[in-house]
PDB file of all heavy atoms in Angstrom:
ATOM      1  N   ALA A  24      23.787   9.076   7.858  1.00 57.00           N
ATOM      2  CA  ALA A  24      24.740   8.234   8.589  1.00 57.00           C
ATOM      3  C   ALA A  24      25.425   9.020   9.700  1.00 57.00           C
ATOM      4  O   ALA A  24      25.627   8.512  10.814  1.00 57.00           O
ATOM      5  CB  ALA A  24      25.780   7.664   7.623  1.00 57.00           C
ATOM      6  N   ILE A  27      22.965   9.547  12.565  1.00 59.00           N
ATOM      7  CA  ILE A  27      22.764   8.307  13.331  1.00 59.00           C
ATOM      8  C   ILE A  27      23.998   8.001  14.174  1.00 59.00           C
ATOM      9  O   ILE A  27      23.895   7.684  15.359  1.00 59.00           O
ATOM     10  CB  ILE A  27      22.451   7.140  12.378  1.00 59.00           C
ATOM     11  CG1 ILE A  27      21.074   7.336  11.755  1.00 59.00           C
ATOM     12  CG2 ILE A  27      22.508   5.801  13.120  1.00 59.00           C
ATOM     13  CD1 ILE A  27      20.756   6.374  10.633  1.00 59.00           C
ATOM     14  N   GLY A  28      25.173   8.118  13.536  1.00 58.00           N
ATOM     15  CA  GLY A  28      26.408   7.833  14.265  1.00 58.00           C
ATOM     16  C   GLY A  28      26.587   8.764  15.452  1.00 58.00           C
ATOM     17  O   GLY A  28      26.967   8.330  16.549  1.00 58.00           O
ATOM     18  N   GLY A  29      26.310  10.058  15.254  1.00 57.00           N
ATOM     19  CA  GLY A  29      26.434  11.009  16.347  1.00 57.00           C
ATOM     20  C   GLY A  29      25.454  10.732  17.465  1.00 57.00           C
ATOM     21  O   GLY A  29      25.792  10.815  18.659  1.00 57.00           O
ATOM     22  N   LEU A  31      24.053   7.808  18.255  1.00 57.00           N
ATOM     23  CA  LEU A  31      24.408   6.585  18.973  1.00 57.00           C
ATOM     24  C   LEU A  31      25.626   6.796  19.866  1.00 57.00           C
ATOM     25  O   LEU A  31      25.672   6.300  21.004  1.00 57.00           O
ATOM     26  CB  LEU A  31      24.677   5.454  17.977  1.00 57.00           C
ATOM     27  CG  LEU A  31      23.470   5.006  17.140  1.00 57.00           C
ATOM     28  CD1 LEU A  31      23.870   3.877  16.198  1.00 57.00           C
ATOM     29  CD2 LEU A  31      22.320   4.567  18.029  1.00 57.00           C
ATOM     30  N   LEU A  32      26.596   7.543  19.345  1.00 55.00           N
ATOM     31  CA  LEU A  32      27.791   7.798  20.143  1.00 55.00           C
ATOM     32  C   LEU A  32      27.447   8.602  21.395  1.00 55.00           C
ATOM     33  O   LEU A  32      27.895   8.296  22.513  1.00 55.00           O
ATOM     34  CB  LEU A  32      28.832   8.542  19.299  1.00 55.00           C
ATOM     35  CG  LEU A  32      30.144   8.894  20.012  1.00 55.00           C
ATOM     36  CD1 LEU A  32      30.842   7.624  20.507  1.00 55.00           C
ATOM     37  CD2 LEU A  32      31.057   9.688  19.086  1.00 55.00           C
ATOM     38  N   ARG A  35      25.602   6.450  23.945  1.00 55.00           N
ATOM     39  CA  ARG A  35      26.474   5.490  24.628  1.00 55.00           C
ATOM     40  C   ARG A  35      27.340   6.180  25.677  1.00 55.00           C
ATOM     41  O   ARG A  35      27.648   5.611  26.725  1.00 55.00           O
ATOM     42  CB  ARG A  35      27.341   4.756  23.609  1.00 55.00           C
ATOM     43  CG  ARG A  35      26.574   3.657  22.881  1.00 55.00           C
ATOM     44  CD  ARG A  35      27.377   2.939  21.848  1.00 55.00           C
ATOM     45  NE  ARG A  35      26.601   1.851  21.253  1.00 55.00           N
ATOM     46  CZ  ARG A  35      26.907   1.258  20.131  1.00 55.00           C
ATOM     47  NH1 ARG A  35      27.964   1.641  19.443  1.00 55.00           N
ATOM     48  NH2 ARG A  35      26.145   0.276  19.661  1.00 55.00           N
ATOM     49  N   TRP A  45      16.432   3.598  20.558  1.00 57.00           N
ATOM     50  CA  TRP A  45      16.577   3.332  19.129  1.00 57.00           C
ATOM     51  C   TRP A  45      15.427   3.907  18.308  1.00 57.00           C
ATOM     52  O   TRP A  45      15.507   3.914  17.072  1.00 57.00           O
ATOM     53  CB  TRP A  45      16.657   1.821  18.894  1.00 57.00           C
ATOM     54  CG  TRP A  45      17.890   1.185  19.455  1.00 57.00           C
ATOM     55  CD1 TRP A  45      18.002   0.502  20.632  1.00 57.00           C
ATOM     56  CD2 TRP A  45      19.191   1.182  18.872  1.00 57.00           C
ATOM     57  NE1 TRP A  45      19.297   0.073  20.818  1.00 57.00           N
ATOM     58  CE2 TRP A  45      20.045   0.471  19.751  1.00 57.00           C
ATOM     59  CE3 TRP A  45      19.726   1.698  17.701  1.00 57.00           C
ATOM     60  CZ2 TRP A  45      21.383   0.269  19.485  1.00 57.00           C
ATOM     61  CZ3 TRP A  45      21.065   1.507  17.419  1.00 57.00           C
ATOM     62  CH2 TRP A  45      21.882   0.800  18.302  1.00 57.00           C
ATOM     63  N   PRO A 168      30.254  -0.049   6.728  1.00 65.00           N
ATOM     64  CA  PRO A 168      30.775  -0.073   8.108  1.00 65.00           C
ATOM     65  C   PRO A 168      29.833   0.518   9.150  1.00 65.00           C
ATOM     66  O   PRO A 168      29.957   0.213  10.337  1.00 65.00           O
ATOM     67  CB  PRO A 168      32.063   0.757   7.996  1.00 65.00           C
ATOM     68  CG  PRO A 168      32.514   0.548   6.587  1.00 65.00           C
ATOM     69  CD  PRO A 168      31.243   0.521   5.786  1.00 65.00           C
ATOM     70  N   LEU A 169      28.847   1.357   8.711  1.00 60.00           N
ATOM     71  CA  LEU A 169      27.876   1.890   9.664  1.00 60.00           C
ATOM     72  C   LEU A 169      27.111   0.770  10.357  1.00 60.00           C
ATOM     73  O   LEU A 169      26.699   0.907  11.509  1.00 60.00           O
ATOM     74  CB  LEU A 169      26.902   2.823   8.944  1.00 60.00           C
ATOM     75  CG  LEU A 169      25.795   3.473   9.798  1.00 60.00           C
ATOM     76  CD1 LEU A 169      26.399   4.388  10.840  1.00 60.00           C
ATOM     77  CD2 LEU A 169      24.812   4.218   8.915  1.00 60.00           C
ATOM     78  N   GLY A 170      26.952  -0.348   9.650  1.00 58.00           N
ATOM     79  CA  GLY A 170      26.230  -1.476  10.230  1.00 58.00           C
ATOM     80  C   GLY A 170      26.891  -2.033  11.475  1.00 58.00           C
ATOM     81  O   GLY A 170      26.226  -2.668  12.307  1.00 58.00           O
ATOM     82  N   ARG A 171      28.189  -1.773  11.636  1.00 56.00           N
ATOM     83  CA  ARG A 171      28.855  -2.270  12.832  1.00 56.00           C
ATOM     84  C   ARG A 171      28.320  -1.598  14.093  1.00 56.00           C
ATOM     85  O   ARG A 171      28.409  -2.153  15.196  1.00 56.00           O
ATOM     86  CB  ARG A 171      30.380  -2.029  12.723  1.00 56.00           C
ATOM     87  CG  ARG A 171      31.036  -2.686  11.504  1.00 56.00           C
ATOM     88  CD  ARG A 171      30.864  -4.201  11.526  1.00 56.00           C
ATOM     89  NE  ARG A 171      31.526  -4.816  12.666  1.00 56.00           N
ATOM     90  CZ  ARG A 171      32.808  -5.170  12.669  1.00 56.00           C
ATOM     91  NH1 ARG A 171      33.551  -4.973  11.605  1.00 56.00           N
ATOM     92  NH2 ARG A 171      33.322  -5.733  13.745  1.00 56.00           N
ATOM     93  N   LEU A 172      27.736  -0.390  13.934  1.00 53.00           N
ATOM     94  CA  LEU A 172      27.144   0.301  15.083  1.00 53.00           C
ATOM     95  C   LEU A 172      25.940  -0.456  15.632  1.00 53.00           C
ATOM     96  O   LEU A 172      25.566  -0.282  16.789  1.00 53.00           O
ATOM     97  CB  LEU A 172      26.730   1.726  14.700  1.00 53.00           C
ATOM     98  CG  LEU A 172      27.875   2.688  14.324  1.00 53.00           C
ATOM     99  CD1 LEU A 172      27.304   3.983  13.789  1.00 53.00           C
ATOM    100  CD2 LEU A 172      28.770   2.949  15.517  1.00 53.00           C
ATOM    101  N   PHE A 173      25.321  -1.292  14.770  1.00 52.00           N
ATOM    102  CA  PHE A 173      24.186  -2.087  15.211  1.00 52.00           C
ATOM    103  C   PHE A 173      24.617  -3.482  15.665  1.00 52.00           C
ATOM    104  O   PHE A 173      23.778  -4.329  15.936  1.00 52.00           O
ATOM    105  CB  PHE A 173      23.172  -2.233  14.073  1.00 52.00           C
ATOM    106  CG  PHE A 173      22.570  -0.929  13.614  1.00 52.00           C
ATOM    107  CD1 PHE A 173      23.026  -0.295  12.463  1.00 52.00           C
ATOM    108  CD2 PHE A 173      21.565  -0.322  14.337  1.00 52.00           C
ATOM    109  CE1 PHE A 173      22.475   0.899  12.046  1.00 52.00           C
ATOM    110  CE2 PHE A 173      21.004   0.871  13.921  1.00 52.00           C
ATOM    111  CZ  PHE A 173      21.454   1.487  12.778  1.00 52.00           C
ATOM    112  N   GLY A 174      25.907  -3.719  15.708  1.00 54.00           N
ATOM    113  CA  GLY A 174      26.392  -5.018  16.142  1.00 54.00           C
ATOM    114  C   GLY A 174      26.427  -6.062  15.050  1.00 54.00           C
ATOM    115  O   GLY A 174      26.544  -7.260  15.334  1.00 54.00           O
ATOM    116  N   VAL A 175      26.326  -5.671  13.786  1.00 57.00           N
ATOM    117  CA  VAL A 175      26.348  -6.618  12.676  1.00 57.00           C
ATOM    118  C   VAL A 175      27.792  -6.870  12.273  1.00 57.00           C
ATOM    119  O   VAL A 175      28.581  -5.936  12.088  1.00 57.00           O
ATOM    120  CB  VAL A 175      25.544  -6.070  11.474  1.00 57.00           C
ATOM    121  CG1 VAL A 175      25.467  -7.115  10.367  1.00 57.00           C
ATOM    122  CG2 VAL A 175      24.144  -5.655  11.914  1.00 57.00           C
TER     123      VAL A 175
END
Side-chain angles (χ1 to χ4, degrees):
I27 291 170
L31 295 180
L32 179 60
R35 282 178 177 163
W45 293 100
L169 180 64
R171 302 299 297 274
L172 295 172
F173 297 101
V175 185

